[in-house]
Amino acid sequence: EGAMWTAGARQPGLVLAALAALGLALEVLVARRRRPVREVLFFPSKPSCTEALLAEAASPDDAPVPCPCPLPRGDCAFSRLLRHLLSARRSLELCLFAFSSPQLGRAVRLLHRRGVRVRVVTDAQYMALKGSQIGLLRHAGIQVRHDQESGYMHHKFAIVDRKMLITGSLNWTTEAIQNNRENILIMEDAEYVQPFLEEFERIWEFYDPLKYMFF
Amino acid sequence: EGAMWTAGARQPGLVLAALAALGLALEVLVARRRRPVREVLFFPSKPSCTEALLAEAASPDDAPVPCPCPLPRGDCAFSRLLRHLLSARRSLELCLFAFSSPQLGRAVRLLHRRGVRVRVVTDAQYMALKGSQIGLLRHAGIQVRHDQESGYMHHKFAIVDRKMLITGSLNWTTEAIQNNRENILIMEDAEYVQPFLEEFERIWEFYDPLKYMFF
């Protein structure tokens, strides 16, 4: 029997305290490492200049060129959304009822050029509307699929690198971003992300153009 | 020194095992007690009979009267939404762009009659549309406020007893429930619920009819 356990026998409180401290330290370490993104954003978001964000994402090594536009810079709901989106390194799934924001369109094309695997599901009735970004995405070579049902494909979610979910009431239109009362959640809790990933794959397969029936 | 600690000194493994078991038991107890609701529901939801759910919520002491309608019973996304909503005991905040589902309208009026404090915020353009439940809610004595802005009040969230958030893409219309691809999250994580509570209070104050300007 070691000295420690003999000491423990004499002072059981010490052993308990040491064990508790060890447990706490481990818990703090694990919590710090795994702390998921958990953010709630509300809109409308004031018009703001996002050139710096987009330019930095496009060529991180270049010196920033200041944008001459008069819009305010700085943090706002929209810039935070854009920043999270631009953090994608491997994959991006988009499931969007309406997508006409030119800034978000640029961001998605930029990610595609950077080698991120982008897949888009959208609503057939809305994708042909004026200002839709869907045509530009397809021109850029991004895969897009759409519903062929009578109901709307009304989701508004994105999944970044299969681990961050962006979802809420916000359609990706400038109108909604700047004028509507909207919310989005940005979350990395697997319990929420996983079902959305599975739903995306289901919808993606269901909308495979080879299966379109043109009824 | 007690016999246990003397035994512990001779068999330290036993003490460790006992401590580990105690820790695990405590953890399970705490987790069970605090385990928050975390649910993701996808729509469309098949048409289903919700009479039993509504009748039970209206008069929990009465024997159930079987509904003669031919719709299937049982669990579905819509019945789960309804069940969570009907769990309200003290308060219900609704912030809804469109609200025309007769079943959800009945549920909200029922909660109001049961003494739950119901407050509704909605969109001015949409509340006057055919089939809107807003008029019926007001007739029942429920407080309703609406935006007076050019943008949409496009939120679709509910907060039950200030601790459960229901939010997503789903407007509370039969069309959306039965025909659209939609999602809702049902969550009790304070990190998500709290910002929505604060947003509701902000909007509620902002839409105070005493402050309407009729511009």
Side-chain angles (χ1 to χ4, degrees), chain A residues 5 15 29 40 44 51 60 63 68 74 92-93 99 110 112 119 136 144 148 153 161 172 176 179 189 206 213:
Chain A
W5 291 109
V15 175
L29 270 175
V40 179
E51 285 305 313
L92 177 67
E93 281 81 37
F99 187 173
L110 191 158
H112 169 69
R119 292 182 292 168
L136 289 170
V144 178
Q148 58 157 349
M153 204 311 295
D161 290 340
W172 285 22
N179 293 311
D189 314 77
F206 194 80
M213 281 174 291

Side-chain angles (χ1 to χ4, degrees), chain A residues 112-131:
Chain A
H112 169 69
R113 277 200 307 276
R114 221 161 64 180
V116 172
R117 183 200 187 199
V118 180
R119 292 182 292 168
V120 181
V121 165
T122 192
D123 185 79
Q125 280 120 302
Y126 266 65
M127 73 176 176
L129 292 192
K130 199 167 168 262

Side-chain angles (χ1 to χ4, degrees), chain B residues 7-29:
Chain B
R10 276 189 227 113
Q11 296 185 285
L14 261 186
V15 175
L16 281 179
L19 280 173
L22 185 69
L24 193 68
L26 278 172
E27 219 166 279
V28 166
L29 271 174

Side-chain angles (χ1 to χ4, degrees), chain A residues 38 180 182 189 191-192, chain B residues 38 152 154 182 189 191-192:
Chain A
R38 292 182 149 192
N180 289 358
E182 308 271 5
D189 314 77
E191 277 174 275
Y192 298 124
Chain B
R38 293 182 149 192
Y152 285 130
H154 202 242
E182 307 270 6
D189 314 77
E191 278 174 275
Y192 298 123

Side-chain angles (χ1 to χ4, degrees), chain B residues 57-186:
Chain B
S59 29
D61 301 331
D62 292 4
V65 180
C67 173
C69 87
L71 290 175
R73 280 95 180 117
D75 220 28
C76 62
F78 182 61
S79 71
R80 297 195 69 79
L81 164 60
L82 198 59
R83 200 183 291 274
H84 283 298
L85 188 67
L86 289 170
S87 75
R89 291 294 171 267
R90 290 175 301 281
S91 64
L92 177 67
E93 281 80 38
L94 297 179
C95 201
L96 293 169
F97 176 55
F99 187 174
S100 61
S101 157
Q103 285 157 300
L104 290 170
R106 267 176 70 190
V108 171
R109 293 197 302 278
L110 192 157
L111 291 172
H112 169 68
R113 279 200 306 276
R114 220 163 66 181
V116 173
R117 181 201 189 199
V118 180
R119 292 182 292 167
V120 181
V121 165
T122 192
D123 184 79
Q125 280 120 304
Y126 266 65
M127 74 177 177
L129 292 191
K130 201 168 166 257
S132 169
Q133 288 287 311
I134 298 297
L136 289 170
L137 299 183
R138 283 190 158 146
H139 267 278
I142 294 170
Q143 305 178 74
V144 178
R145 295 184 178 179
H146 59 78
D147 71 320
Q148 57 157 353
E149 299 151 318
S150 62
Y152 285 130
M153 204 311 295
H154 202 242
H155 288 303
K156 312 108 175 25
F157 71 81
I159 306 169
V160 173
D161 291 340
R162 303 186 76 79
K163 70 169 204 284
M164 184 196 291
L165 171 67
I166 302 173
T167 189
S169 67
L170 184 82
N171 287 306
W172 285 21
T173 74
T174 304
E175 180 65 23
I177 293 162
Q178 293 183 4
N179 292 312
N180 290 359
R181 297 218 174 233
E182 307 270 6
N183 65 76
I184 50 174
L185 293 156
I186 301 174

